[in-house]
Amino acid sequence: MKYKPQAYSLMADFMNLGAGKEAHYSNLNNHNYTRLRCFDLYKLHSWAGGLAEFVDGRNQESTSEAINAYYSAALLGLAYNDTELVSLGSTLAALEIHAAQMWWHVNGGGDSNMYEADFVKENKLIGVLWSNKRDSGLWFAPPVWKECRLGIQLLPLIPVSELLFSNVSFVKEVVEWAIPALDRDGVGEGWKGFVYALEGVYDSESALEKIRSLKGFDDGNSFSNLLWWIHSRGSSDDDDNKIEEFGDEKQFSFAHHSY
């Protein structure tokens, strides 16, 4: 409780609460932050481009930025018994997850088949998504660095990441798409960890062996974090059953990590 004002001040920066209720946000009764920084509350509303002007309009690279931010706000609400903040944070996180699955996850099937067949064949994740175009590459990496395209959507690896990548069949496709890229010379050990983490969703034993062989880890994905990720799920036999049971059209619910 001593540091609640400081914690809420940090949270207000990205939650855009504006002039909140006096009882909940006594130190936020000002207009230093706009009520809404972007025009759309669902499709790509957390633009990384901010107020900077680009030739191709606004853009966004990493969906995990907004998802993890809103998830942390919900956790902060739980810590302070603030039901309104829990509701707001979890709702925005859910909207971001659905938007990410619709725009960034190129699974080419069902209702989300919004990309042409040739693009789906070569890509499983979008790089940078602009208001009027899409990029396969990232701001810091070319398209062939598929491990970076995967990793940037998982940084850092936390429980809500499982909801973002809850389609087990699609996760398997993403890993098989990214694995060949790890044979390039100079691939960073830290980026490999994210690929192996997703492999652990459906083959925990193979992923664990690869994780233990890593010599380095990303700042948002430590060795202990990867071990938690692997050991928090069942055996490889259970994982195979999940894929067979849920198939391409079903979503796997990670109820054991529900917050």
Side-chain angles (χ1 to χ4, degrees):
M1 296 305 298
K2 178 180 179 181
Y3 295 102
K4 181 178 179 179
Q6 290 87 343
Y8 269 65
S9 179
L10 291 172
M11 177 269 299
D13 186 21
F14 59 84
M15 289 300 288
N16 305 311
L17 296 173
K21 291 184 178 180
E22 192 72 21
H24 289 282
Y25 314 110
S26 58
N27 64 322
L28 304 178
N29 193 19
N30 57 66
H31 296 279
N32 291 334
Y33 308 107
T34 57
R35 297 286 296 182
L36 292 173
R37 292 183 179 177
C38 298
F39 61 88
D40 195 319
L41 277 175
Y42 174 50
K43 293 186 295 185
L44 314 177
H45 80 268
S46 295
W47 297 89
L51 300 178
E53 293 185 5
F54 296 90
V55 175
D56 294 298
R58 301 186 182 198
N59 60 80
Q60 175 69 352
E61 180 183 54
S62 172
T63 58
S64 63
E65 293 173 338
I67 293 171
N68 294 343
Y70 297 140
Y71 175 68
S72 68
L75 294 180
L76 187 68
L78 287 175
Y80 287 107
N81 197 27
D82 186 340
T83 57
E84 290 188 10
L85 184 56
V86 172
S87 177
L88 180 61
S90 58
T91 298
L92 289 175
L95 290 174
E96 286 287 350
I97 288 172
H98 283 292
Q101 291 172 340
M102 181 174 70
W103 294 100
W104 269 267
H105 295 189
V106 188
N107 58 27
D111 296 335
S112 59
N113 187 15
M114 58 183 297
Y115 297 110
E116 59 270 19
D118 289 343
F119 186 81
V120 172
K121 183 178 180 180
E122 298 296 329
N123 299 276
K124 291 303 173 185
L125 293 170
I126 295 291
V128 180
L129 200 60
W130 299 76
S131 58
N132 65 350
K133 71 171 185 175
R134 63 180 181 238
D135 277 340
S136 297
L138 302 171
W139 295 325
F140 64 92
V144 294
W145 292 16
K146 296 177 181 179
E147 77 284 357
C148 294
R149 244 193 291 178
L150 184 157
I152 200 69
Q153 309 302 329
L154 278 174
L155 200 160
L157 192 69
I158 58 177
V160 76
S161 305
E162 296 184 295
L163 300 179
L164 176 60
F165 286 91
S166 57
N167 188 321
V168 181
S169 294
F170 175 66
V171 167
K172 192 172 188 295
E173 293 179 7
V174 171
V175 173
E176 292 174 349
W177 167 79
I179 282 287
L182 303 185
D183 293 332
R184 297 190 332 271
D185 292 336
V187 175
E189 290 281 286
W191 291 110
K192 292 180 180 180
F194 293 108
V195 180
Y196 300 153
L198 278 193
E199 184 180 6
V201 170
Y202 61 89
D203 191 343
S204 56
E205 294 180 5
S206 174
L208 180 60
E209 182 180 355
K210 294 175 182 177
I211 287 170
R212 285 174 170 167
S213 69
L214 291 173
K215 302 297 189 296
F217 304 90
D218 189 85
D219 292 338
N221 195 27
S222 66
F223 184 41
S224 59
N225 201 39
L226 284 170
L227 292 179
W228 153 77
W229 177 271
I230 296 299
H231 288 291
S232 63
R233 61 197 70 256
S235 65
S236 294
D237 291 338
D238 294 335
D239 297 330
D240 292 337
N241 292 334
K242 292 170 189 173
I243 297 177
E244 181 179 354
E245 178 180 356
F246 293 100
D248 294 331
E249 303 300 328
K250 300 292 184 178
Q251 297 290 308
F252 174 56
S253 175
F254 295 87
H256 59 289
H257 280 311
S258 173
Y259 67 82

